[in-house]
Amino acid sequence: MTPIRKDTKHFSTFSTGEILAHFRTSADQGLSSAEASQRLVGSGYNEITANKVQWWEILIRQFKSAFIYLLLVASSIVFVIGEYIDGAVILVFVLINAALGFYQEYRSEQSLRALQQFIKPKSRVRRDSSWRPIESRDLVPGDIIKLGTGDVVPADIRVLSTQNFVVNETVLTGESIPVAKNPDTLPADPPTLYDCHNLCFSGTSVVGGEAVAVVVETGARTTMGALARLTVETTKESEFSRGIGRFSRFILRMILVTLVFVFVANLLLKGDSINLIELVVFSIALVVSVVPEALPVVTTVSLSRGALDLAKQDVVVKRLTAIEDIGSIEVLCSDKTGTLTENTLSVTEVSPGADQDLFSYALQTVAETEEKTEPFDIALVEGASRLYRGAIPHSERLAELPFDPRIRMNAVLARTPAGPEIIVRGAPEEILKVCPSMPAEERDTLLSWLAGRGHAGERTIAIATKAVLPDTSGVSPEDLWDLEFHGAIAFTDPIKPSTYRAMEKAKELGVAIKIITGDSPEVASAVGVKIGLLDDPTRVIRGSALMAMSPAERDQAILDYAVFARITPEQKYEIIQSLQRTCTVGFLGEGINDAPALKLAGVSLVVDSAAEIAREAADIILLQKNLEVIIDGIRSGRGVFANSVKYLKATLASNFGNFYAIAIVSLFIPFLPMLPLQILLVNLLSDFPMISIATDTVDELELEMPGRYDLKEIVLIATLLGVISTVDDFAFFAIFVGQGAQVLQTSWFVGSILTELVFLFSIRTRLPFFKASRPSWSLMILTAVAAAVTIILPYTSFGQEVFSFAPPPLSSLGIILGLVAAFFVTAELVKLSYYRYTGDTPGKA
């Protein structure tokens, strides 16, 4: 396990003199300006630059798809044989897809830029023996800096002196409670970030006290920089890209094999009587008819609709295909702080037998600043207003002892109506040590209560007082003895109300939730139990225990456990990497430490306040940190996936049915069963209604399980229904072949389009069509328009002159409609029998 870079953590074992000597600097004088400039040349600026995505990169990204390549090849072939209209139609599909994708992703990128704060952070540094402000990017190793409350740590530093110095490391470790830092030298290299009490890391923030420190690492060499490099080196392929890639390769292989067979078979059977040029054009038209060229438009329209729906919920989608990927999520990993919980402390109760004026005493230990920043201070003020009904006597604060991490207490000297008193607040176990007069029975009761609060994942503080002489003017640690105990107060980080709803929705959608946090096992366990994720509060595993296992045991534990505590950044990466081997993982993060795992996860989500490097690695940005929004996004993604699969099944079954029927019939008659231009027109008229499948409603059953591009299942159902389509086409051939070439071609043209249109209403659901959700209005309207154009066109002079149609008599039209109805009934019966036989769960296609 290597939670910290070896050379960085090694500095924690250096004494103050050794660390200053190592960097050839002085705590009193700092570096000279000349020396700092020279070091800046060698170390570079103290910054980690994120790659800015250019507009042209977003545009090129829209064409990086095996399926787009297939369409461009098909379009080129059609242009070569002179069918300019059909070639242009395919190109229009490609360009519409690219334009929609570019618009959505570029707008999201611009929204992301607007979220970023364009500021130039500054640091107080000692140069040439005097303190001065400089831009943080100009810091170099060996610089002496001063930090105070509210500052962001600008580099990796080793503290030299501190005064009640407390740092919030949530962004790096996930730990929600601030950590006290002191300059004491460690006897050995610390194993994890949690043990580095004399090191502070770039990106963390100071919540209290002051410190003087020496800079030990800057820029890309900081802990943050190491995580940034891991992020850059991590690559992933989305579930959407993998599925479309497999599908495209299958289509290409099948088309090439069939095309060669049809071409060779025609040459062998018809010999010298065949028109070679006409056969080439016919074969190419057949190939183009099979390519589902509207797929990019269908998916992009679906994805854009999903992105717009999420935008209404304050979600920015950076990578459009992440909308469909989010629907394939099987495991969603999240920190607890601020996502499942409010990331605030709230008073829950007071200890048994507590003084009725406990809150009155507690409020006198709160910072006197108008704006409270310390979590316990904020919680005490809120809790007192909610739970305390007594009067708060006027008091005057005479002196103060800030929180001392060694004794884990802080105190104030106040003049009260009863006289001057020292009021102490701190860890209950430490307060009890200085309250020797507390009765044993009360002590036992309190200890039992504290143990219960600990198991519940709550935090506690105790309050005690001591009367002092009237002339007392100050307070020191030596005064904190023989105190009177007044009681203890318990705090919790409340669960968000939306978390409970999200957990119920996740269960309905079959999404497993895993908590990965830097917090303690007790706190993580309590959250897991409260939200229904754990039945047994002991089913929590520490990061150290996880990494001590063998690789096989670790992989199994990662699958078995739902709550992980005391997890370092590298361990978090390991967990996501392990899960990704067997399932699609969604990961919600925000800290610097989350960036590598975000880059690796199948779908990466962050909040808008996340570190810049985390935002750059993410696919989706949440303007509200709310688990329920993510679960709703998963539902939307599954709807997008379901509609894409509808199109694939419909177009494959219809196109391959017609493809094989026309190809086989062409071997046995002296004329083409359908002219090349008629074949392409079939493709065009049937595709426009199919595009509207992107707007279709989805059955609830389709949303129950994560979606997968299961090529075998898609091809199997499409082949079965394609055979039904082929048999129906043979019926057209048998009935109309004796009436001449034009009649057969026209009848087959009309029948082919109408069967594709009605088939869409069968394949759009796994249920009987009359039990399915109502089709979208756009689907019904475009289908009606396409059907009307198909029936009317052969009766027009344009259709007869340009496409060589023969107007079918009403009796023939009746036969055509009868065959279409027979096809629909048969396809519906075969579909229902297939799903009943296979027992496929909706959503796995």
Side-chain angles (χ1 to χ4, degrees):
M1 181 174 65
T2 56
I4 315 171
R5 296 172 64 243
K6 184 176 181 180
D7 52 345
T8 301
K9 68 177 180 178
H10 188 57
F11 292 132
S12 63
T13 64
F14 284 35
S15 67
T16 299
E18 289 171 337
I19 197 75
L20 293 173
H22 179 82
F23 285 101
R24 304 191 312 279
T25 188
S26 164
D28 297 326
Q29 298 177 356
L31 297 175
S32 67
S33 297
E35 176 66 16
S37 298
Q38 188 175 346
R39 293 190 185 189
L40 186 62
V41 174
S43 65
Y45 286 116
N46 177 38
E47 59 187 3
I48 302 171
T49 56
N51 292 326
K52 183 179 179 181
V53 180
Q54 303 296 330
W55 68 267
W56 51 267
E57 293 178 295
I58 298 175
L59 182 61
I60 291 174
R61 195 158 64 201
Q62 309 311 311
F63 295 93
K64 289 184 176 180
S65 163
F67 201 80
I68 295 296
Y69 302 152
L70 185 62
L71 291 182
L72 292 175
V73 170
S75 175
S76 301
I77 292 172
V78 173
F79 273 120
V80 168
I81 64 174
E83 299 296 342
Y84 301 113
I85 294 178
D86 296 286
V89 167
I90 296 174
L91 276 183
V92 165
F93 278 138
V94 172
L95 293 175
I96 289 175
N97 167 72
L100 288 173
F102 173 78
Y103 171 74
Q104 182 63 46
E105 293 188 23
Y106 181 73
R107 189 178 63 175
S108 297
E109 194 67 33
Q110 293 303 108
S111 300
L112 176 62
R113 298 290 169 211
L115 292 174
Q116 296 173 341
Q117 298 177 352
F118 295 97
I119 58 174
K120 294 182 178 180
K122 294 190 179 287
S123 297
R124 285 170 291 174
V125 61
R126 188 185 285 277
R127 293 268 178 93
D128 302 316
S129 302
S130 62
W131 292 104
R132 66 180 68 169
I134 67 168
E135 288 188 16
S136 296
R137 71 194 295 262
D138 293 328
L139 288 175
V140 296
D143 263 328
I144 305 298
I145 65 171
K146 184 183 290 185
L147 293 168
T149 302
D151 288 341
V152 174
V153 179
D156 285 359
I157 60 174
R158 162 71 157 86
V159 295
L160 303 176
S161 63
T162 61
Q163 182 179 356
N164 307 307
F165 191 57
V166 183
V167 176
N168 186 333
E169 295 183 336
T170 301
V171 71
L172 192 60
T173 65
E175 170 64 70
S176 57
I177 295 300
V179 180
K181 300 287 184 177
N182 65 69
D184 295 346
T185 304
L186 295 181
D189 285 358
T192 70
L193 291 173
Y194 310 105
D195 303 300
C196 294
H197 65 68
N198 58 10
L199 294 179
C200 297
F201 303 97
S202 175
T204 58
S205 56
V206 180
V207 295
E210 293 183 348
V212 173
V214 59
V215 174
V216 296
E217 295 288 9
T218 60
R221 293 175 301 282
T222 61
T223 302
M224 177 182 175
L227 292 168
R229 285 199 304 278
L230 183 56
T231 303
V232 171
E233 292 164 3
T234 301
T235 59
K236 68 178 178 184
E237 184 182 13
S238 71
E239 182 65 29
F240 176 84
S241 299
R242 284 194 295 268
I244 291 298
R246 290 194 300 268
F247 177 74
S248 301
R249 289 189 293 272
F250 167 78
I251 290 288
L252 190 57
R253 286 194 297 266
M254 185 189 263
I255 287 174
L256 292 176
V257 171
T258 307
L259 179 61
V260 171
F261 172 78
V262 171
F263 192 82
V264 173
N266 267 279
L267 286 176
L268 293 176
L269 291 174
K270 297 183 179 180
D272 296 336
S273 63
I274 195 168
N275 184 325
L276 192 60
I277 298 300
E278 188 179 70
L279 176 60
V280 170
V281 174
F282 172 73
S283 300
I284 290 174
L286 269 181
V287 168
V288 174
S289 73
V290 175
V291 176
E293 65 269 16
L295 177 61
V297 176
V298 170
T299 54
T300 304
V301 170
S302 296
L303 296 171
S304 297
R305 281 169 54 86
L308 289 173
D309 289 342
L310 289 177
K312 294 174 184 176
Q313 301 180 58
D314 292 335
V315 177
V316 177
V317 180
K318 284 180 62 186
R319 177 174 60 86
L320 197 56
T321 55
I323 296 293
E324 186 161 304
D325 285 341
I326 199 173
S328 66
I329 287 178
E330 297 165 278
V331 179
L332 179 61
C333 299
S334 171
D335 190 1
K336 68 160 195 67
T337 306
T339 305
L340 306 178
T341 64
E342 298 282 5
N343 196 24
T344 60
L345 290 179
S346 177
V347 175
T348 56
E349 60 179 290
V350 298
S351 60
D355 190 319
Q356 62 179 358
D357 292 323
L358 177 63
F359 277 107
S360 175
Y361 288 114
L363 289 176
Q364 294 183 69
T365 67
V366 170
E368 292 185 308
T369 55
E370 185 174 341
E371 185 176 348
K372 307 292 187 290
T373 58
E374 207 279 331
F376 285 106
D377 285 355
I378 297 170
L380 283 171
V381 172
E382 186 277 331
S385 66
R386 178 165 47 88
L387 301 174
Y388 182 59
R389 295 292 177 265
I392 300 176
H394 174 73
S395 64
E396 179 187 355
R397 185 171 297 188
L398 303 175
E400 181 175 357
L401 176 66
F403 179 77
D404 188 331
R406 291 171 296 180
I407 61 174
R408 299 170 65 199
M409 288 184 275
N410 67 296
V412 297
L413 172 63
R415 180 179 288 114
T416 69
E421 285 184 300
I422 294 175
I423 304 169
V424 184
R425 180 178 100 187
E429 58 271 28
E430 299 299 329
I431 296 283
L432 285 175
K433 292 177 183 177
V434 292
C435 296
S437 61
M438 186 176 184
E441 186 178 345
E442 289 183 22
R443 185 181 296 268
D444 291 341
T445 301
L446 179 68
L447 290 173
S448 176
W449 179 82
L450 289 172
R453 295 307 88 216
H455 290 310
E458 296 183 359
R459 307 177 194 278
T460 53
I461 61 170
I463 303 295
T465 63
K466 178 182 180 179
V468 294
L469 296 173
D471 60 350
T472 303
S473 59
V475 57
S476 67
E478 289 73 27
D479 297 320
L480 307 185
W481 176 250
D482 197 16
L483 307 181
E484 180 185 353
F485 190 84
H486 289 279
I489 304 172
F491 303 79
T492 188
D493 185 356
I495 306 294
K496 288 183 176 180
S498 61
T499 297
Y500 298 105
R501 296 192 300 270
M503 293 301 294
E504 286 298 319
K505 291 181 179 180
K507 190 178 297 183
E508 293 171 4
L509 295 174
V511 176
I513 304 293
K514 291 186 183 290
I515 298 175
I516 306 177
T517 181
D519 242 326
S520 69
E522 293 78 15
V523 172
S525 166
V527 171
V529 171
K530 286 177 183 177
I531 66 176
L533 190 60
L534 293 180
D535 294 324
D536 180 0
T538 65
R539 289 288 295 170
V540 178
I541 187 166
R542 284 176 174 264
S544 55
L546 188 69
M547 300 311 291
M549 297 177 176
S550 68
E553 290 174 331
R554 189 184 310 141
D555 287 341
Q556 189 59 48
I558 289 170
L559 290 175
D560 292 343
Y561 281 86
V563 180
F564 302 82
R566 291 298 188 205
I567 298 298
T568 66
E570 283 78 6
Q571 291 165 0
K572 190 176 296 187
Y573 183 89
E574 177 93 17
I575 291 170
I576 300 299
Q577 189 175 51
S578 176
L579 288 170
Q580 280 283 107
R581 297 189 192 109
T582 55
C583 52
T584 302
V585 181
F587 177 58
L588 174 62
E590 64 171 320
I592 301 164
N593 61 323
D594 292 327
L598 285 166
K599 189 75 176 290
L600 181 68
V603 182
S604 49
L605 311 101
V606 300
V607 292
D608 65 314
S609 59
E612 182 177 357
I613 186 174
R615 290 201 302 267
E616 292 293 338
D619 300 315
I620 294 174
I621 297 174
L622 312 178
L623 302 187
Q624 297 180 36
K625 196 170 184 182
N626 188 332
L627 187 67
E628 190 175 18
V629 172
I630 303 172
I631 301 299
D632 290 340
I634 291 175
R635 184 183 178 87
S636 297
R638 291 185 184 178
V640 170
F641 168 81
N643 282 338
S644 297
V645 171
K646 286 179 193 178
Y647 173 78
L648 285 177
K649 291 178 178 178
T651 193
L652 277 184
S654 301
N655 288 359
F656 276 115
N658 291 339
F659 177 87
Y660 286 118
I662 295 174
I664 293 170
V665 166
S666 70
L667 301 175
F668 303 105
I669 57 177
F671 56 86
L672 295 178
M674 198 180 294
L675 298 177
L677 193 56
Q678 293 170 346
I679 293 174
L680 295 172
L681 184 60
V682 168
N683 213 32
L684 179 63
L685 283 175
S686 61
D687 264 342
F688 274 112
M690 283 195 181
I691 292 174
S692 63
I693 202 75
T695 67
D696 196 22
T697 54
V698 178
D699 294 331
E700 285 296 318
L701 291 175
E702 294 282 353
L703 305 176
E704 289 182 354
M705 293 296 290
R708 279 275 190 274
Y709 276 108
D710 186 341
L711 188 60
K712 180 180 177 181
E713 196 277 339
I714 293 174
V715 170
L716 184 57
I717 185 65
T719 301
L720 283 175
L721 296 174
V723 169
I724 305 301
S725 177
T726 300
V727 171
D728 189 65
D729 284 336
F730 284 157
F732 278 97
F733 171 72
I735 293 172
F736 294 107
V737 69
Q739 300 180 33
Q742 269 195 309
V743 173
L744 174 62
Q745 291 163 352
T746 303
S747 302
W748 208 336
F749 167 83
V750 175
S752 294
I753 295 178
L754 294 182
T755 52
E756 286 195 41
L757 295 179
V758 298
F759 177 59
L760 197 52
F761 289 87
S762 172
I763 200 65
R764 64 178 290 273
T765 177
R766 299 188 178 203
L767 301 171
F769 77 96
F770 53 85
K771 290 186 178 180
S773 56
R774 183 184 62 79
S776 66
W777 282 108
S778 57
L779 177 60
M780 292 191 288
I781 291 171
L782 282 178
T783 299
V785 170
V789 170
T790 300
I791 293 172
I792 294 171
L793 190 60
Y795 295 97
T796 65
S797 56
F798 177 77
Q800 294 165 18
E801 293 173 9
V802 176
F803 296 99
S804 302
F805 290 137
L810 290 179
S811 58
S812 295
L813 189 59
I815 293 172
I816 292 171
L817 294 177
L819 288 173
V820 170
F823 165 77
F824 179 79
V825 172
T826 306
E828 186 75 0
L829 292 173
V830 170
K831 176 196 75 175
L832 295 175
S833 299
Y834 170 81
Y835 288 126
R836 191 177 300 115
Y837 175 76
T838 60
D840 272 355
T841 304
K844 286 186 179 178

